[in-house]
Amino acid sequence: MANTLKDRVALVTGSTDGIGLASARALAAEGCSVMLNGFGEADALAALCSELSAAYGVEVAHSPADLREEAAASGLVGEAVARFGRVDILVNNAGTQHKGLVEDHPPQRWREVMALNLDAAFHTIRTALPGMRARGWGRIVNVASVYGLAGGVERSSYVASKHGLVGLTKAVALETATTPITCNAVCPGDVSTRIFYRNAKLLAEREQITRAEAQQRIAAASMPSGRVVAPEQVGAFVAFLCSEAAGEIRGAALPMDGAWLAR
Ligand code: NAD
């Protein structure tokens, strides 16, 4: 099948690090112009844009929009359109979580988790979709979690927001089902982002074990595979969902979880 991603415009939220950056990189590698979003030092972000642009021969820009703010989330698609003329691919990836029992959960943190993990996706989708419909093509990928499909302790807002994101994915997929626009969710288990390596380092120091042993222990605690998922694996899957080959995958919540949900 033809490489339909060449010269597409992708907006990836929360893409200055972790899964979002890996997704942006995978889409840039397929020839997409990319609007990055997220936090970081101005110099480091400028260097990141230049690096991606040079590596893949595509245009790359960055927006610092804080997606907890409704106006910023609504405005982000407009920023991308102002820079690149359109948004063909929208990856809603920015997310946060709060650990603790539900009765101890600060209501303000609940609102922040919902605002970033769920409301922001609503705002980017509702602002990006009219352009996709007008041009007759689009891809929306929401980065949910295994916690979008199963419960978990001491993370009530995360579980609720990710279940909400999976629900939003299905609703949007049905509203676009007869069009060349698809909407799907990816549901990773534990992924080896920066926090995984930080936690492994702390465990290794505490237990006087090697970092490799600590990483293995953390992975085995939740992943039946005994391995965590690499951000690059999620990025490659996101890019696949944006391909023409994936054009009839619609409204799916797809685990990448080392068989976590198979138990
Ligand atoms: P990360 O912490 O490595 O990166 C988060 C990115 O989001 C950064 O670019 C950061 O600057 C940006 N960001 C944070 N707050 C933001 C805000 N208010 N507005 C805009 N951007 C903001 O995150 P990650 O671990 O790669 O997670 C990415 C997504 O994947 C999240 O939705 C998370 O819930 C989901 N997820 C992660 C894992 C995991 O194990 N890491 C597993 C399953 C799902």
Side-chain angles (χ1 to χ4, degrees):
M1 262 177 195
N3 173 10
T4 51
L5 296 187
K6 189 159 165 28
D7 299 328
R8 298 287 190 195
V9 175
L11 166 58
V12 186
T13 72
S15 50
T16 55
D17 204 356
I19 294 168
L21 178 54
S23 302
R25 198 176 278 284
L27 290 166
E30 294 287 336
C32 296
S33 303
V34 180
M35 175 66 113
L36 301 173
N37 158 252
F39 303 142
E41 294 288 318
D43 287 352
L45 294 175
L48 178 62
C49 290
S50 302
E51 185 247 309
L52 288 177
S53 181
Y56 304 111
V58 296
E59 286 191 62
V60 181
H62 166 260
S63 164
D66 182 340
L67 302 184
R68 289 169 299 184
E69 306 292 331
E70 181 179 328
S74 298
L76 180 60
V77 171
E79 279 187 65
V81 171
R83 177 65 178 74
F84 293 112
R86 62 193 191 278
V87 171
D88 302 309
I89 294 168
L90 169 64
V91 182
N92 287 304
N93 166 79
T96 186
Q97 65 173 311
H98 179 88
K99 294 265 185 73
L101 294 170
V102 65
E103 60 266 41
D104 300 326
H105 201 313
Q108 176 58 26
R109 277 295 293 150
W110 176 278
R111 283 189 290 276
E112 282 176 9
V113 174
M114 288 296 165
L116 186 58
N117 294 10
L118 182 55
D119 297 5
F122 160 65
H123 290 302
T124 54
I125 289 170
R126 76 181 174 79
T127 46
L129 200 47
M132 292 179 183
R133 285 197 198 275
R135 287 184 303 278
W137 195 90
R139 293 286 185 269
I140 300 168
V141 181
N142 297 322
V143 181
S145 160
V146 285
Y147 292 114
L149 297 168
V153 293
E154 300 198 358
R155 52 185 90 228
S156 53
S157 55
Y158 191 74
V159 169
S161 65
K162 294 295 187 180
H163 273 70
L165 188 57
V166 168
L168 177 64
T169 302
K170 293 176 183 176
V172 173
L174 284 168
E175 291 184 16
T176 54
T178 60
T179 76
I181 301 164
T182 71
C183 180
N184 292 290
V186 295
C187 298
D190 286 347
V191 181
S192 51
T193 49
R194 207 178 293 276
I195 195 165
F196 167 76
Y197 290 109
R198 195 161 58 231
N199 288 341
K201 179 171 174 282
L202 292 174
L203 181 66
E205 287 165 3
R206 201 168 59 239
E207 301 285 321
Q208 294 294 299
I209 55 177
T210 66
R211 285 195 195 180
E213 281 173 313
Q215 289 171 14
Q216 220 277 318
R217 264 196 219 177
I218 292 174
S222 50
M223 305 286 277
S225 59
R227 283 190 303 278
V228 289
V229 181
E232 294 73 21
Q233 290 178 303
V234 185
F237 193 39
V238 168
F240 170 70
L241 288 173
C242 297
S243 72
E244 210 54 37
E248 289 310 328
I249 302 176
R250 296 176 181 272
L254 300 157
M256 295 187 79
D257 66 349
W260 178 320
L261 294 167
R263 286 174 294 201

